[in-house]
Amino acid sequence: MRNLRVSHRSLLKSSSGATLTAAAFDVASDSVVCAFGPTKEDSLVQLKRWNRRDGNLSLIASWDAPCPSPDLVCDRILNLHFFSDSTTACLVFAGGDIVIVREDASPGEDKIEIMGSAHAGVSAAAWSPDEGLLAMTTKADTLIYMTREFESVTEIALSADDLKVSDHVSVGWGKKETQFKGKKARALRDPTVPESVDEGRLSEYDMYETTISWRGDGDYVAINSVVSDCRRVIRVYSRDGILNSVSEPVDNLVGALSWRPAGNLLAALQYHDSQAKVVFFERNGLRHGQFDLRLSREELETWGSEISLEWNVDSSVLAICLSDRIQLWAMSNYHYYLKQEIFSFSSSTANKAAACGWHPEEPLQLIVSSEGGIQSFLYSSVVCGGPATKSEDYGVVAVIDGKCLKITPLRLVNVPPPMALHEITLESNALDVTITTTNTDTKAIQICVLHHKGCSLYEWPMISMMQSPPFHKWTINPYQHGDNSNSMYLQAAFSGETSDRKSILLLRNSVEVSTIHAINLLGQTVKELSAPGGAIEGIVSSGPCTQQSGTYIITNERKDTAAGDLVKDISDFNQQNNVNIAVPPFSVGRADAVRYSGGTDYPKDKESTYEEITFSLSENGSLFANERRLARNCTSFLVTPAHLILTTSQHLLKFVHLPCLVEGISQIEHELWGMCFNNDLLELSLPPDTPETDERCRSIERGAKLVAAMPSIFAVVLQMPRGNLETIHPRALVLVGIRTNINEKKYRKAFFACRNHRVDMNILHDHDPGEFIANVPLFLDQVQKVEHIDLFLSQLRDEDVSETMYKDTNPDPGVSELQKPEAIPASISKVSKVCNAFLDALENRTSTHFQNVVTAHVCKIPPDLDAGLLQIADIRRNNPELVHGAIEHICFLADVNRLYDNCLGLYDLQLALLVAQQSQKDPKEYLPFLRNLQKEPLLRRKYWIDDHLGRHRKALRHLCELNAFDEVKTYAIKHSLYTEAMEYYRYQDNNLENITRLYGDYLNQQGKYKEAGLAFEYLNDYHAAMDAYRQAYLWKESISCATMIPVSQSQLQSLCTTIADTLSESKDYFSAAIIHTDYLSDIPTAARLFCKGYYFADAFRIIGLHHRPDLLESVIDVGLVEGMASMTELLADCKSQINAQVPRIQELRVKQAEDPLAFFNGDAHEGLDIPDNVSLAPTDSSTMGGSLFTRYTNRTGTVGTNATRRTSKNRRREERKKARGKKGSIYEEEYLINSIGRLIERVNSVNEEVDRLVMGLIRRGMRERAVAVENAMNEVVSLCNECTEEVFRAGEKGKAVEHKDISEGAIPKGWDGVMWDTLHGEKRREVPVVKSFSRRLLLGQ
């Protein structure tokens, strides 16, 4: 589907008296080395360098080359090769001499030197592709290999015995003998026996020449020569000189030969039945396909008698060299297309046929040489496609095949090449084709075809594309060649914005002048724009992305032309011809270029501020936007109004959003866009190579290239390397189309686009939630079909797909601000909100959209099944015939068992029966159940239904309404529904009292003694309340209830004694002391209890209150000494724990930092030298820990291992290990850190106790002891403050890194988990706060 278009043409005519005989590329300087002479008139050989860009021709060297052989009229150059690395040219002459010319000869070296000579003469020579070996055949039938230093490697004799090396066995691939012709024909003859057998007879056109061709990798060389003057054979030799194979006999084979650089085929030439065919051979010598050159008998006898072949470097184009022209053929889908025909300077009667040479590095660059001069061509492989604008993107593609133009609208019919929907026969071989559309009322495609005999215009109405081919309007030849045979048409392009102003521009190039012809659509030549020869290289039009057809003229920067004069001539040319051409203010890569002018047309009454962008693809794969390089690995690209689409050498299809005008925004925003565009503030962002996450990137087949883009159907057509076509619908195009349709409120198109391309339909709402909710009635009117509305509702979910799955990657700030979606409150479900909007819109459409109403209720989150069932129940009364379908529909949407329960919950037994019939329930089960319910009274039936459904509160309510109090009590006890029963009987005192007593007993059994005590006290049952409060350790309430019974004094004292002892055991010394003081009047015991709790001030208070100074020494002093001893012991233990654990933590961290792997995994082999090249099959034990790279992802390779590691038993075992914190284990550090944390909490808790102890000691005159306790406390607090920084790393900033891409299940457990936390940065531990301890001033600092 691609054509060859001339990107550059340079010409050099031979001077009078000098005949061009050979030419070769100099890759380093991008020039051509030309050899002139020798001829029979003059034996002088001149070697010159031609700079193709500026036209300079400089002499390298010249010498006389007299013919050494009497058989030759004059010597002849068989091979000219230039070594760019050493600036040396090597010439092999037919007379046998091998001459080298050193352009930059070193001192002591000859500039021209004969390196050797074959006395018998040379018949053919060729250098290997790596320039390391010269293969040369002599007229004595020998093959000689020579190195670059011209040392003979081997010499091989070519004899008739070589034909015995191959025993060919052909299975007849592609031959007519093996084709099926019917059963009868098969019975008549054996299809494996050919109808005729070739004997290798020579052709009448055979010139008995020898041809040598190397394979692209240089491992093999093929030689085409005549054996014993009776048969032409192709021999294949290895690089070592070993004969590998010979070709099978083929009649009428001639000397042309070229080995495809890819290595799979050898191309040769066969004359057969007045036809010339290119035949292909495999390396083993067997035939493998052919194609016809389409030459008539007359053409064969004139300019088709002497033919040579030459493949380009990437095997994509085969050059057929004839007498006066070169034909370029390209293969696609096993069909060979004639893409270009180049005429040489010489006529068909010249002594030497035209020759061509491909550039060794640039695939589409070649030189065409003849006696009259040399031409240099640079081609680009382009797709000649139609417009890609809205409503006109039919995907029209024109393919050149000689005199046949194949046209296919890919949007209507995807015809695989080489077939086409329509074929146009031309007067001569086509050179270029361009396509546009008319802007008139009758839309039509206009096709301009440039060929050797002029220019033809065809028109193709869009309404009859399938039925009729394009019709011919006119053909003109604006320039008659005359004697100027070097003139050639290069390109054609449309220019202009409207049909009445549109023109066709034709670029013609010759040695003397470059001309652009402007032709109107009536076929009239308007004017010519002329420039010096080679000054204009090409035309860049706006391409198929927009109707604005501005045109750039690409000039040759190296030509010495007056740029100002050319710009002035262009300005005059535009004014006179109503065209729009200009010289770009930047360099343009010329492999392929398209001009982009901002997408849609700007309003006519306003001046556009958009500066156009020219996208161009250079020969090395660099894609440019003006002068900015976008990509370095681009293989093809297309431009649509919204996207730049490109393929890369990484086999990715990428989309770049382009700036386009947005309808409905203000003039200020338009101007803002223009400022961004012109100031290059707008970034054309190329998406990364992440097809998994980015909608703008998609993986494609290896080597696929773009053919056409059709945004209206969201399609892109790609051509695979073989030539077959594939139509895909990239997600980027689909989403842009969906968003555009939503913005234009074309919900039907957006809906079907989502449905056809499997896009989540939530985007219909999420792209613009507020606008969608407001236009739900419009959505219903457009979509209409009930099933489609159900499909949309059933796919709703609360996720905002416009921010997750289909986040808009378009950097268009104007659009994003205008269409910013509404924020949905967290309390409102998106699904429920949309469903409610549909229910409101369907309120008056129930008769036609009843099914949608049911769907909207069921699809809510949570589903409103009751509302849906009530709708069905309502329609059962109004339209009974619709009930069956409605029941089936709702049973399809929701779980039928749940629907059955909901029907029972609505107490509609008939509806429940209908639903049960749609389920898998056994009728023997539900029919008796429903019959029994039908027999019961209404309230009793409701009770049984609610009890069956587990709705016990409702069932209890129905029992209460039945006045069955005994059943209520039983039911409340069974289901613990005391509060519900109490609520119902709140105004019935007797029943309320009974239920409350039952509730109090229940609370007492459940251990909720406080609540039970309140219940009993509410019932004035103080005895039960006293026991409940006592068990709840509420001594105040318990004693209060005891006094309300009332109880005797002895019983009260016994109760108080019991409560006090219980409080003492729970270490609530303060409460126990209060009871002993207030109720038991036991002052000594109360004072002791105060001292045990370090409440020395209260002990002093009660001793003074009851005038018991004798207790100061016997109770207070003893309590102070005992408190000091226990507190000192506690502080000493804390100090020793800190001094032991903090250094151990430091030691563990040093080991961890030095060798983390050994620290966490342990040295299992104890330092033994274990070989690391032993491969073992994985087992459960060997894969348990994983490798160094997989152990921390918890993905060790076996499903069984992963499953085993997550069992609850292993988790409990790991937790026990963690709690023990065994020394040397992986959990030791964490255990020690937690231990220090608990110690600090303990020190903080005794802070006030130490303060009260110190005060008590001072009050009793024990100053030394108070100082000792205070010093011990201060020392422990200081140690805690010091170790906090080290243990908890409070000075470090958090190392935690959010691993959003790691799921919770992927984080390893156990030892691996501890190492994972360490290596990936643990979250910062919360540092405990150490309470400060204030020293008493009386004791000093």
Side-chain angles (χ1 to χ4, degrees):
M1 305 300 285
R2 307 183 78 84
N3 300 322
L4 295 180
R5 178 176 293 164
V6 180
S7 298
H8 170 78
R9 183 190 185 217
S10 299
L11 303 94
L12 175 66
K13 292 190 68 174
S14 300
S15 58
S16 60
T19 302
L20 180 67
T21 54
F25 278 103
D26 178 8
V27 179
S29 62
D30 193 23
S31 60
V32 178
V33 176
C34 307
F36 295 88
T39 63
K40 61 181 179 180
E41 293 83 9
D42 188 359
S43 62
L44 180 66
V45 178
Q46 292 181 325
L47 198 65
K48 298 182 179 182
R49 179 182 297 277
W50 175 44
N51 192 321
R52 298 171 296 138
R53 293 292 179 178
D54 56 20
N56 293 331
L57 187 66
S58 57
L59 180 66
I60 298 176
S62 63
W63 70 97
D64 285 327
C67 182
S69 174
D71 298 334
L72 299 175
V73 177
C74 65
D75 211 348
R76 181 166 55 95
I77 299 176
L78 294 178
N79 181 268
L80 169 61
H81 190 85
F82 191 84
F83 298 98
S84 300
D85 54 351
S86 61
T87 63
T88 303
C90 176
L91 296 90
V92 180
F93 289 85
D97 292 339
I98 302 175
V99 180
I100 65 169
V101 178
R102 300 181 180 92
E103 188 173 6
D104 299 324
S106 302
E109 289 184 336
D110 296 330
K111 189 175 185 67
I112 303 170
E113 182 178 358
I114 299 177
M115 304 303 297
S117 181
H119 299 291
V122 178
S123 57
W127 283 93
S128 62
D130 59 358
E131 299 181 338
L133 203 62
L134 172 64
M136 186 172 61
T137 59
T138 67
K139 294 180 181 179
D141 289 336
T142 58
L143 171 64
I144 301 174
Y145 283 172
M146 301 184 72
T147 64
R148 187 165 172 176
E149 290 75 23
F150 301 99
E151 297 177 356
S152 179
V153 176
T154 183
E155 185 172 346
I156 306 163
L158 305 178
S159 66
D161 294 337
D162 296 340
L163 304 181
K164 302 176 183 179
V165 72
S166 295
D167 187 11
H168 300 105
V169 178
S170 175
V171 295
W173 292 117
K175 293 186 177 182
K176 64 180 181 179
E177 294 88 0
T178 58
Q179 303 304 311
F180 180 70
K181 301 177 182 178
K183 295 182 179 179
K184 294 182 179 180
R186 185 179 182 87
L188 293 176
R189 57 177 300 278
D190 187 354
T192 61
V193 178
E195 296 178 355
S196 61
V197 178
D198 285 354
E199 300 176 357
R201 291 188 297 268
L202 295 177
S203 171
E204 59 179 311
Y205 298 97
D206 201 327
M207 303 180 67
Y208 293 86
E209 73 274 24
T210 301
T211 310
I212 299 178
S213 181
W214 286 87
R215 199 170 74 170
D217 57 3
D219 287 342
Y220 292 93
V221 63
I223 301 170
N224 186 356
S225 62
V226 177
V227 177
S228 303
D229 294 332
C230 63
R231 176 184 168 185
R232 181 167 285 279
V233 65
I234 300 175
R235 297 178 176 88
V236 176
Y237 287 89
S238 68
R239 193 179 181 94
D240 298 326
I242 300 173
L243 179 62
N244 184 269
S245 64
V246 296
S247 63
E248 63 174 287
V250 177
D251 291 341
N252 302 312
L253 195 67
V254 295
L257 177 68
S258 180
W259 200 327
R260 197 165 185 254
N264 58 337
L265 296 175
L266 293 94
L269 190 67
Q270 179 191 28
Y271 289 95
H272 182 66
D273 295 337
S274 301
Q275 294 179 347
K277 295 181 180 180
V278 174
V279 295
F280 298 106
F281 293 87
E282 299 176 9
R283 184 171 62 87
N284 56 16
L286 292 176
R287 286 277 301 275
H288 190 98
Q290 63 187 20
F291 71 90
D292 188 7
L293 291 182
R294 310 170 193 172
L295 301 179
S296 65
R297 181 71 178 181
E298 180 183 356
E299 292 171 339
L300 282 176
E301 294 177 351
T302 53
W303 48 266
S305 59
E306 186 177 351
I307 303 177
S308 60
L309 309 174
E310 190 71 30
W311 284 100
N312 70 335
V313 69
D314 68 349
S315 306
S316 61
V317 181
L318 176 63
I320 310 293
C321 305
L322 299 105
S323 297
D324 63 343
R325 68 196 68 189
I326 306 294
Q327 292 183 347
L328 303 182
W329 295 73
M331 190 269 287
S332 177
N333 217 13
Y334 304 105
H335 174 78
Y336 279 84
Y337 297 82
L338 176 54
K339 293 297 183 182
Q340 284 284 337
E341 188 175 50
I342 307 167
F343 286 92
S344 63
F345 286 159
S346 60
S347 63
S348 59
T349 59
N351 296 325
K352 184 177 182 296
C356 75
W358 291 98
H359 196 284
E361 294 180 358
E362 300 294 337
L364 297 179
Q365 186 171 344
L366 81 160
I367 52 175
V368 178
S369 59
S370 62
E371 293 181 353
I374 186 171
Q375 306 177 68
S376 172
F377 289 90
L378 176 62
Y379 286 93
S380 58
S381 178
V382 299
V383 176
C384 298
T389 52
K390 189 175 181 181
S391 75
E392 296 174 352
D393 54 346
Y394 284 89
V396 177
V397 177
V399 181
I400 294 175
D401 188 9
K403 296 180 180 180
C404 178
L405 185 67
K406 301 175 181 290
I407 302 177
T408 303
L410 296 173
R411 176 177 170 182
L412 302 179
V413 53
N414 195 342
V415 179
M419 297 181 292
L421 181 62
H422 298 297
E423 294 184 358
I424 302 175
T425 302
L426 307 173
E427 297 182 23
S428 60
N429 292 327
L431 295 174
D432 194 16
V433 59
T434 182
I435 303 174
T436 189
T437 58
T438 60
N439 293 331
T440 59
D441 295 336
T442 57
K443 290 288 186 179
I445 299 291
Q446 290 183 327
I447 305 170
C448 176
V449 184
L450 181 64
H451 48 85
H452 285 292
K453 293 185 179 181
C455 173
S456 299
L457 182 67
Y458 294 84
E459 190 165 297
W460 197 9
M462 294 183 182
I463 59 175
S464 60
M465 280 186 171
M466 294 294 293
Q467 293 78 15
S468 59
F471 63 90
H472 178 259
K473 295 191 69 174
W474 47 257
T475 297
I476 64 168
N477 188 358
Y479 182 82
Q480 301 296 332
H481 286 286
D483 295 331
N484 190 2
S485 60
N486 62 62
S487 178
M488 178 180 176
Y489 289 113
L490 301 183
Q491 293 183 26
F494 285 99
S495 181
E497 299 181 3
T498 59
S499 297
D500 57 344
R501 298 186 59 186
K502 190 169 291 186
S503 300
I504 300 173
L505 303 181
L506 304 180
L507 174 61
R508 182 182 57 82
N509 175 269
S510 66
V511 176
E512 297 82 8
V513 65
S514 295
T515 306
I516 292 182
H517 301 272
I519 305 172
N520 60 26
L521 298 185
L522 300 177
Q524 300 169 346
T525 302
V526 182
K527 190 174 175 59
E528 295 181 357
L529 174 65
S530 298
I536 301 177
E537 292 192 347
I539 303 173
V540 177
S541 64
S542 62
C545 61
T546 177
Q547 290 292 346
Q548 297 180 357
S549 299
T551 306
Y552 275 154
I553 293 179
I554 308 302
T555 60
N556 188 347
E557 297 178 355
R558 300 187 184 180
K559 282 289 183 181
D560 187 13
T561 59
D565 295 340
L566 182 58
V567 172
K568 182 178 182 301
D569 293 341
I570 290 175
S571 177
D572 297 338
F573 186 75
N574 290 338
Q575 294 177 3
Q576 296 178 17
N577 302 286
N578 291 328
V579 295
N580 180 19
I581 62 177
V583 176
F586 45 82
S587 60
V588 177
R590 281 298 300 127
D592 194 3
V594 172
R595 201 172 172 194
Y596 175 76
S597 55
T600 57
D601 295 341
Y602 200 82
K604 294 182 179 180
D605 58 341
K606 301 184 179 77
E607 182 181 356
S608 174
T609 57
Y610 279 85
E611 178 182 334
E612 295 182 343
I613 300 178
T614 297
F615 296 103
S616 57
L617 177 64
S618 63
E619 293 84 359
N620 60 3
S622 296
L623 181 63
F624 292 90
N626 291 354
E627 291 185 301
R628 176 189 168 191
R629 190 198 305 269
L630 294 179
R632 296 178 181 270
N633 57 352
C634 180
T635 57
S636 64
F637 77 97
L638 287 175
V639 180
T640 69
H643 291 101
L644 165 66
I645 311 173
L646 66 146
T647 57
T648 68
S649 56
Q650 278 74 36
H651 325 301
L652 296 174
L653 178 67
K654 294 189 176 184
F655 292 81
V656 179
H657 294 289
L658 295 179
C660 59
L661 300 179
V662 182
E663 297 181 2
I665 65 176
S666 64
Q667 172 67 13
I668 296 177
E669 290 166 321
H670 274 302
E671 294 176 358
L672 176 61
W673 266 111
M675 291 172 54
C676 295
F677 205 10
N678 292 332
N679 295 331
D680 199 25
L681 299 177
L682 185 65
E683 291 291 336
L684 296 176
S685 58
L686 196 69
D689 297 345
T690 55
E692 302 85 2
T693 58
D694 198 328
E695 69 181 36
R696 299 170 296 168
C697 186
R698 169 176 174 152
S699 298
I700 56 176
E701 186 177 333
R702 179 183 297 270
K705 292 186 178 181
L706 290 164
V707 173
M710 295 160 282
S712 61
I713 61 171
F714 325 126
V716 168
V717 180
L718 297 167
Q719 187 169 28
M720 304 303 114
R722 192 192 74 182
N724 56 306
L725 300 180
E726 287 188 8
T727 301
I728 62 174
H729 299 271
R731 188 51 53 93
L733 280 184
V734 173
L735 291 178
V736 167
I738 291 173
R739 294 183 184 116
T740 302
N741 289 329
I742 294 174
N743 294 336
E744 296 174 357
K745 297 184 177 60
K746 297 178 180 178
Y747 293 110
R748 180 179 177 83
K749 289 186 177 180
F751 171 83
F752 281 103
C754 293
R755 185 186 182 210
N756 295 337
H757 300 288
R758 304 189 68 173
V759 175
D760 196 314
M761 291 189 182
N762 283 271
I763 194 175
L764 298 175
H765 168 271
D766 296 341
H767 178 66
D768 193 349
E771 196 69 20
F772 181 82
I773 294 297
N775 289 280
V776 168
L778 179 61
F779 178 89
L780 295 173
D781 292 337
Q782 292 182 1
V783 177
Q784 293 182 348
K785 201 170 183 179
V786 173
E787 291 78 6
H788 295 161
I789 299 173
D790 280 346
L791 179 62
F792 169 74
L793 292 173
S794 62
Q795 292 193 5
L796 288 173
R797 64 179 188 276
D798 279 337
E799 178 186 356
D800 185 357
V801 298
S802 65
E803 293 296 328
T804 56
M805 297 174 62
Y806 310 126
K807 188 175 180 62
D808 194 354
T809 56
N810 191 346
D812 189 338
V815 175
S816 61
E817 290 296 328
L818 291 174
Q819 300 176 350
K820 187 175 181 180
E822 294 180 352
I824 301 177
S827 59
I828 302 176
S829 168
K830 180 193 85 173
V831 178
S832 298
K833 182 178 180 180
V834 175
C835 289
N836 289 332
F838 271 81
L839 290 173
D840 294 339
L842 293 170
E843 186 175 358
N844 298 325
R845 309 186 191 193
T846 307
S847 59
T848 56
H849 291 76
F850 172 74
Q851 184 172 307
N852 299 139
V853 175
V854 175
T855 304
H857 284 299
V858 175
C859 290
K860 288 183 180 180
I861 297 180
D864 193 356
L865 299 180
D866 289 347
L869 292 170
L870 288 174
Q871 288 286 340
I872 296 176
D874 182 65
I875 202 174
R876 185 185 61 191
R877 292 187 292 270
N878 301 327
N879 297 304
E881 65 278 1
L882 301 178
V883 173
H884 183 72
I887 289 294
E888 288 185 350
H889 179 66
I890 197 172
C891 290
F892 171 77
L893 293 175
D895 182 15
V896 66
N897 296 317
R898 186 177 176 186
L899 288 172
Y900 176 74
D901 293 340
N902 280 80
C903 291
L904 290 177
L906 296 175
Y907 313 114
D908 192 333
L909 300 183
Q910 187 175 358
L911 191 61
L913 178 61
L914 293 174
V915 172
Q917 290 173 349
Q918 299 293 326
S919 69
Q920 300 295 324
K921 293 179 178 292
D922 189 354
K924 294 180 180 179
E925 296 179 1
Y926 66 80
L927 286 178
F929 176 71
L930 294 177
R931 288 195 193 101
N932 293 334
L933 290 177
Q934 188 67 31
K935 297 175 183 178
E936 296 290 341
L938 181 60
L939 287 177
R940 180 63 65 175
R941 183 193 308 161
K942 291 182 178 181
Y943 161 71
W944 284 118
I945 290 175
D946 290 331
D947 182 64
H948 172 75
L949 297 176
R951 300 189 298 189
H952 303 299
R953 288 180 174 81
K954 282 191 175 183
L956 180 68
R957 173 71 62 177
H958 296 316
L959 283 177
C960 293
E961 293 175 355
L962 289 171
N963 295 323
F965 184 69
D966 293 337
E967 292 185 48
V968 170
K969 290 195 297 182
T970 304
Y971 201 81
I973 293 172
K974 181 180 180 181
H975 298 289
S976 303
L977 299 175
Y978 302 101
T979 56
E980 288 77 5
M982 292 167 61
E983 177 66 21
Y984 183 81
Y985 291 118
R986 62 185 180 276
Y987 300 120
Q988 301 178 24
D989 296 339
N990 293 333
N991 293 339
L992 179 61
E993 183 177 347
N994 290 331
I995 297 297
T996 305
R997 185 170 297 280
L998 291 174
Y999 190 33
D1001 295 336
Y1002 170 77
L1003 293 174
N1004 218 6
Q1005 294 173 2
Q1006 297 295 320
K1008 300 177 181 179
Y1009 301 112
K1010 179 179 179 180
E1011 301 296 331
L1014 289 174
F1016 289 132
E1017 191 170 5
Y1018 173 78
L1019 297 175
N1020 295 326
D1021 188 354
Y1022 297 110
H1023 192 280
M1026 176 190 69
D1027 292 337
Y1029 285 139
R1030 180 174 57 82
Q1031 294 185 67
Y1033 299 101
L1034 300 175
W1035 62 273
K1036 297 178 182 178
E1037 290 80 358
S1038 180
I1039 295 175
S1040 174
C1041 289
T1043 58
M1044 296 296 295
I1045 294 176
V1047 296
S1048 62
Q1049 187 64 29
S1050 59
Q1051 292 176 337
L1052 181 62
Q1053 289 185 354
S1054 176
L1055 174 65
C1056 292
T1057 302
T1058 302
I1059 293 175
D1061 292 342
T1062 302
L1063 293 174
S1064 297
E1065 290 175 0
S1066 62
K1067 296 187 179 181
D1068 187 0
Y1069 298 113
F1070 188 87
S1071 298
I1074 293 297
I1075 293 175
H1076 278 283
T1077 303
D1078 295 347
Y1079 294 97
L1080 300 178
S1081 300
D1082 189 355
I1083 304 303
T1085 303
R1088 290 189 188 94
L1089 291 173
F1090 278 131
C1091 290
K1092 282 186 178 182
Y1094 295 94
Y1095 298 102
F1096 297 102
D1098 292 281
F1100 282 117
R1101 179 183 63 80
I1102 63 171
I1103 288 175
L1105 179 65
H1106 294 87
H1107 306 289
R1108 296 290 303 272
D1110 56 304
L1111 298 178
L1112 290 175
E1113 294 184 0
S1114 60
V1115 176
I1116 300 297
D1117 292 347
V1118 174
L1120 287 171
V1121 173
E1122 291 177 351
M1124 175 192 170
S1126 60
M1127 187 60 68
T1128 305
E1129 182 180 0
L1130 173 64
L1131 296 176
D1133 291 342
C1134 293
K1135 179 180 177 181
S1136 61
Q1137 179 180 344
I1138 293 174
N1139 292 332
Q1141 290 181 343
V1142 172
R1144 178 59 180 171
I1145 293 174
Q1146 296 173 347
E1147 179 184 355
L1148 291 174
R1149 288 177 176 170
V1150 170
K1151 290 182 178 180
Q1152 173 185 331
E1154 291 176 350
D1155 191 354
L1157 187 61
F1159 176 79
F1160 287 101
N1161 197 27
D1163 191 357
H1165 303 288
E1166 299 180 357
L1168 298 178
D1169 187 10
I1170 304 298
D1172 58 357
N1173 58 351
V1174 179
S1175 177
L1176 299 175
T1179 62
D1180 287 346
S1181 59
S1182 65
T1183 58
M1184 178 68 73
S1187 68
L1188 178 62
F1189 303 102
T1190 62
R1191 59 180 290 126
Y1192 309 114
T1193 62
N1194 207 27
R1195 298 290 184 269
T1196 56
T1198 58
V1199 177
T1201 301
N1202 290 333
T1204 303
R1205 293 178 63 84
R1206 293 191 181 93
T1207 60
S1208 59
K1209 180 180 179 181
N1210 283 351
R1211 284 198 299 270
R1212 291 195 299 269
R1213 182 172 60 212
E1214 294 295 335
E1215 290 297 330
R1216 289 195 297 270
K1217 290 181 181 179
K1218 187 182 298 186
R1220 287 196 299 268
K1222 181 180 177 181
K1223 185 174 182 180
S1225 69
I1226 199 70
Y1227 303 113
E1228 182 183 3
E1229 181 185 1
E1230 183 180 359
Y1231 173 81
L1232 294 176
I1233 293 173
N1234 294 335
S1235 178
I1236 295 295
R1238 293 190 295 270
L1239 181 145
I1240 292 175
E1241 293 178 359
R1242 178 63 176 142
V1243 171
N1244 290 337
S1245 66
V1246 302
N1247 190 296
E1248 295 181 359
E1249 295 179 359
V1250 173
D1251 184 66
R1252 294 197 297 267
L1253 176 61
V1254 170
M1255 289 183 62
L1257 291 171
I1258 294 175
R1259 291 179 68 178
R1260 290 300 298 163
M1262 304 178 185
R1263 187 177 186 281
E1264 291 79 5
R1265 294 182 178 182
V1267 170
V1269 172
E1270 192 176 65
N1271 290 337
M1273 184 64 182
N1274 279 328
E1275 186 175 1
V1276 171
V1277 171
S1278 299
L1279 289 175
C1280 290
N1281 284 323
E1282 293 172 1
C1283 73
T1284 299
E1285 188 77 17
E1286 177 66 25
V1287 172
F1288 299 95
R1289 298 181 177 179
E1292 294 185 6
K1293 294 184 178 179
K1295 299 180 180 179
V1297 179
E1298 295 184 5
H1299 299 277
K1300 298 182 179 179
D1301 57 337
I1302 301 179
S1303 61
E1304 183 178 355
I1307 299 177
K1309 308 294 182 183
W1311 291 53
D1312 291 343
V1314 176
M1315 184 175 181
W1316 191 93
D1317 288 337
T1318 303
L1319 295 181
H1320 291 78
E1322 298 180 0
K1323 293 183 178 179
R1324 180 180 177 182
R1325 287 189 175 90
E1326 184 178 354
V1327 181
V1329 178
V1330 181
K1331 288 185 179 180
S1332 61
F1333 181 75
S1334 301
R1335 306 189 62 164
R1336 296 297 169 183
L1337 297 178
L1338 186 63
L1339 300 180
Q1341 298 298 326

